[in-house]
Amino acid sequence: MSSISKAERSMAALFHEFRSIALETGVAPLANGSARLHIGRNDDGSGGTEILSAVKLEVQTVEEGGVDDGRIVCSVSCSPTAYPNLSTGALDDLQHDLTTVLHQTLSHSSLHPSNLAILAGKKSWLLNLDVVILADAGNIYDAVFMAARAALWDTKVPRTRSVQYKARKSGKASADMDVDEEATSGFDTRQVSTAADFELQDYWDEGEVLEGRDRWPVCLTLNLESSIQFLDANLQEEASSPLRILMLYSFGTSPPALQAMRTLNQGDLTLAHIKTLISSAEKYASELFKALNAKLVEEDLRRNQKARERFSGRLGF
Amino acid sequence: MASSSRVEILNEGGFRSDGRKQFELRDMVIDLSQQGTADGSALVSHGLTQVIVSVFGPREAKMRSQTIYDRANINVELSIASFSTGERRKRSRGDKRILEMAATIKSTFEPVVQTTLYPRSQIDIFVQVLQQDGGLLQACINATTLALASAGIPLYDFVCAVTGGVHSTSPMLDLTTLEESDIPHVTVATMPGSGKVTLATMETRLHVDRFEEIFRLACEAGQILHKEMRAAVRSRTGVLISAMQSAAPRQGIKKMIR
């Protein structure tokens, strides 16, 4: 295919601009955190890439010698609506590819949130992140990671309290026998928790926010075509780029950490080229990160505002 | 003695666990706006049960072996989101329960879609369940009807489905998850114009004396749902016609909605 000149790029979009992105959090009331993302949706709601993501927390029992910090499992499911021309086998393959990229990036230990433990050594939270692709109009990786980040941002971990049952001491000791009771020494400074169970606390909110919100990475797909690199490709542009490269940046630390990188399509790169790509991708990724964060904070405010208004309305303020 | 904390299915005042009366149906929300590249799509909610159906077709079949020489082949694929229920459950696409439900939807629509008009082609119906709170098959069937109508596929009539159950001797309509797990229930899908029934399915045990009453009630409830669905299709058609008229003001476009 011929090279894509600036004039040919549809919608008069510049190479480094994204189509319009619409994001809404809290769309699945039964989930601990959820988000719905649209990229490039038309006015009447058609077209564009649409992703739905949700986080559900389950209690898991830690096995002997296992990690008691909690686990993260990610999965992507492609609705046949998004890929109406793919057979079931091809759909499963695509699902598996996307799941692998998402899971390997997000379950890395450097991103692991610290508040997923419940009872040390016994119980912890298993975080299931499910992403459903409802429509694909290009730039699917960026969209999946954005939706995943939004759902993780929205996740609230329920507050728990350890509970310990103490057996009631037996009745009157026999007068005949001398019962030696074990006295607890004042020098015993170990803090071994003998709590065997936990209960959910009844709080007015759904829990505390999942820790490490800033660390979740943003994905940036660079489409390379001769000397031009452009972002947010639609389906035709993706098919015509000889090389695409995914870069995932985490902005929790400074300087930002490059969490993952992957090349797609059949092109090849020199090491010097990769270095220049990394520096330019970091710039775009940080803009995307700031914009996404601003939107997520705004969503939080909107939902809390709505809840507060409803609450005060009910009380007749 | 400690008081029972069990939720009452129907209390003395005649109210159910979610505040509805016996024969009251849940709020139905219908959204027929276009989704992705589908020919027709419908997002239907019955209370908290939310289902989105996309229809592609009639189009060339993906596998020539599945075509029928004189009619269109209807292919239904159902996928249930893992986060749709209170407890997360990952269901693979080949799960028997899901295949059974997809086959039920297909057999419900076989006599309704005018397939003889499109021989050797395929009509794909993709159902995606987003939230579940009882009445899943009912929501899937209602959404499929609307999606088929929105795609412009000729149908003999609408298909309206509703669940009905009996709590001791009191019949109830449009059950939630709590009620479905407690009382025997039946799902009935009817074609409101002719009164014909295209689906009646039950998996619990119900006494035959009670069956007639609840079946009759479910058929009547189908008529009510039919009004809602027609109103939604009418308003959607109005939107499309005004869009067409603004694009080509000189061509006259007749409104032909019965």
Side-chain angles (χ1 to χ4, degrees):
Chain A
M1 290 193 70
S2 60
S3 65
I4 300 168
S5 70
K6 197 162 183 175
E8 281 168 3
R9 192 117 201 268
S10 54
M11 310 295 279
L14 298 179
F15 288 152
H16 304 134
E17 267 185 16
F18 266 73
R19 291 167 285 182
S20 63
I21 301 178
L23 174 69
E24 194 186 341
T25 54
V27 292
L30 291 168
N32 297 89
S34 57
R36 193 183 203 139
L37 182 89
H38 278 264
I39 298 186
R41 184 170 51 165
N42 301 328
D43 287 329
D44 56 10
S46 67
T49 302
E50 185 177 347
I51 318 264
L52 190 57
S53 59
V55 167
K56 273 194 95 73
L57 293 166
E58 271 170 41
V59 180
Q60 63 170 5
T61 317
V62 181
E63 310 99 45
E64 281 298 315
V67 240
D68 58 358
D69 252 1
R71 239 175 10 119
I72 298 186
V73 175
C74 309
S75 76
V76 177
S77 138
C78 299
S79 166
T81 321
Y83 302 99
N85 299 316
L86 285 187
S87 68
T88 325
L91 206 63
D92 281 341
D93 286 343
L94 180 61
Q95 229 170 251
H96 182 77
D97 283 343
L98 292 165
T99 302
T100 312
V101 175
L102 186 67
H103 178 73
Q104 283 181 349
T105 310
L106 293 186
S107 60
H108 194 261
S109 48
S110 63
L111 298 171
H112 195 93
S114 58
N115 56 356
L116 285 182
I118 306 176
L119 290 177
K122 295 197 192 75
K123 299 233 187 266
S124 61
W125 290 113
L126 169 64
L127 191 147
N128 288 303
L129 171 64
D130 295 302
V131 177
V132 178
I133 300 179
L134 296 171
D136 183 2
N139 206 14
I140 197 72
Y141 282 97
D142 289 7
V144 164
F145 276 95
M146 261 195 271
R149 190 193 149 81
L152 287 163
W153 176 284
D154 187 42
T155 304
K156 302 271 190 334
V157 182
R159 294 173 212 269
T160 58
R161 203 161 57 98
S162 336
V163 163
Q164 185 182 358
Y165 294 100
K166 274 207 165 88
R168 213 188 288 264
K169 287 213 170 59
S170 57
K172 341 173 254 264
S174 167
D176 297 333
M177 290 210 312
D178 232 6
V179 183
D180 270 337
E181 277 186 7
E182 275 221 35
T184 46
S185 160
F187 291 111
D188 193 348
T189 50
R190 286 177 305 169
Q191 289 247 358
V192 176
S193 163
T194 48
D197 205 355
F198 70 96
E199 63 175 18
L200 291 175
Q201 288 181 303
D202 201 7
Y203 249 67
W204 58 271
D205 67 1
E206 278 132 34
E208 54 184 28
V209 165
L210 190 66
E211 190 267 328
R213 272 173 156 190
D214 286 331
R215 295 203 293 268
W216 300 116
V218 263
C219 174
L220 200 77
T221 308
L222 280 175
N223 304 277
L224 305 172
E225 220 268 298
S226 56
S227 58
I228 310 171
Q229 19 169 299
F230 54 96
L231 305 176
D232 195 24
N234 62 26
L235 288 171
Q236 292 97 322
E237 290 164 348
E238 276 185 355
S240 65
S241 307
L243 179 68
R244 290 160 58 211
I245 185 162
L246 300 182
M247 310 247 198
L248 286 117
Y249 284 95
S250 165
F251 292 93
T253 57
S254 90
L258 179 61
Q259 294 286 135
M261 191 162 87
R262 185 173 283 240
T263 55
L264 300 167
N265 292 14
Q266 302 98 324
D268 48 25
L269 286 175
T270 61
L271 193 55
H273 197 189
I274 293 183
K275 287 186 180 163
T276 52
L277 286 176
I278 290 179
S279 51
S280 60
E282 191 180 313
K283 197 165 38 91
Y284 303 132
S286 88
E287 283 171 24
L288 184 62
F289 177 78
K290 287 199 192 84
L292 191 61
N293 264 23
K295 179 64 185 172
L296 288 170
V297 166
E298 189 191 314
E299 274 291 298
D300 269 350
L301 282 173
R302 173 189 71 91
R303 284 167 60 203
N304 291 336
Q305 184 71 10
K306 234 169 70 172
R308 234 178 294 139
E309 279 167 6
R310 246 186 296 156
F311 185 65
S312 55
R314 214 174 287 155
L315 291 180
F317 286 155
Chain B
M1 188 165 84
S3 66
S4 165
S5 59
R6 207 178 117 103
V7 180
E8 280 181 324
I9 300 290
L10 191 66
N11 69 10
E12 293 93 23
F15 289 103
R16 290 149 77 171
S17 53
D18 57 356
R20 287 185 285 152
K21 289 276 208 186
Q22 255 186 290
F23 303 135
E24 203 178 318
L25 303 174
R26 287 179 288 185
D27 250 347
M28 188 175 183
V29 176
I30 300 174
D31 184 3
L32 296 176
S33 38
Q34 197 188 349
Q35 222 243 346
T37 52
D39 292 324
S41 69
L43 171 72
V44 167
S45 319
H46 282 281
L48 294 175
T49 301
Q50 199 174 61
V51 159
I52 184 161
V53 174
S54 299
V55 167
F56 289 86
R59 58 178 184 169
E60 181 132 4
K62 270 186 259 175
M63 292 194 353
R64 291 288 293 274
S65 57
Q66 285 174 354
T67 56
I68 309 166
Y69 76 100
D70 63 346
R71 342 193 267 282
N73 178 39
I74 299 179
N75 173 38
V76 178
E77 281 182 35
L78 173 69
S79 60
I80 301 186
S82 319
F83 46 82
S84 59
T85 51
E87 283 176 20
R88 180 189 181 264
R89 263 183 67 186
K90 175 128 179 117
R91 274 166 253 252
S92 75
R93 209 162 283 140
D95 188 45
K96 290 291 182 282
R97 196 92 177 85
I98 292 186
L99 289 177
E100 184 190 353
M101 208 179 273
T104 310
I105 298 174
K106 176 176 161 146
S107 67
T108 308
F109 282 94
E110 283 276 357
V112 178
V113 176
Q114 297 186 22
T115 47
T116 47
L117 293 174
Y118 307 108
R120 290 183 300 277
S121 63
Q122 180 163 317
I123 298 175
D124 285 306
I125 301 173
F126 299 130
V127 184
Q128 173 78 39
V129 176
L130 299 172
Q131 266 175 257
Q132 282 189 62
D133 186 31
L136 182 60
L137 190 55
Q138 155 196 334
C140 290
I141 290 174
N142 291 336
T144 306
T145 306
L146 289 164
L148 287 167
S150 161
I153 293 177
L155 305 171
Y156 286 111
D157 200 351
F158 277 68
V159 181
C160 306
V162 78
T163 50
V166 177
H167 171 65
S168 64
T169 51
S170 338
M172 294 202 287
L173 289 174
D174 201 0
L175 310 175
T176 58
T177 311
L178 185 73
E179 292 161 347
E180 271 184 359
S181 54
D182 224 19
I183 62 177
H185 55 276
V186 58
T187 304
V188 177
T190 53
M191 290 165 64
S194 49
K196 292 199 187 138
V197 175
T198 61
L199 173 79
T201 174
M202 180 167 73
E203 287 162 2
T204 46
R205 248 174 24 165
L206 180 62
H207 198 286
V208 70
D209 293 342
R210 308 263 159 260
F211 181 74
E212 193 215 326
E213 189 186 2
I214 195 62
F215 185 75
R216 203 175 24 87
L217 272 168
C219 293
E220 281 175 29
Q223 301 283 350
I224 307 292
L225 286 179
H226 173 58
K227 285 203 195 79
E228 288 290 314
M229 286 158 70
R230 248 183 57 191
V233 173
R234 186 173 266 153
S235 75
R236 169 74 179 161
T237 314
V239 164
L240 290 175
I241 287 181
S242 60
M244 283 157 72
Q245 277 175 338
S246 63
R250 256 169 277 166
Q251 298 171 25
I253 297 176
K254 275 196 297 192
K255 272 197 195 168
M256 270 181 54
I257 315 166
R258 270 191 301 118

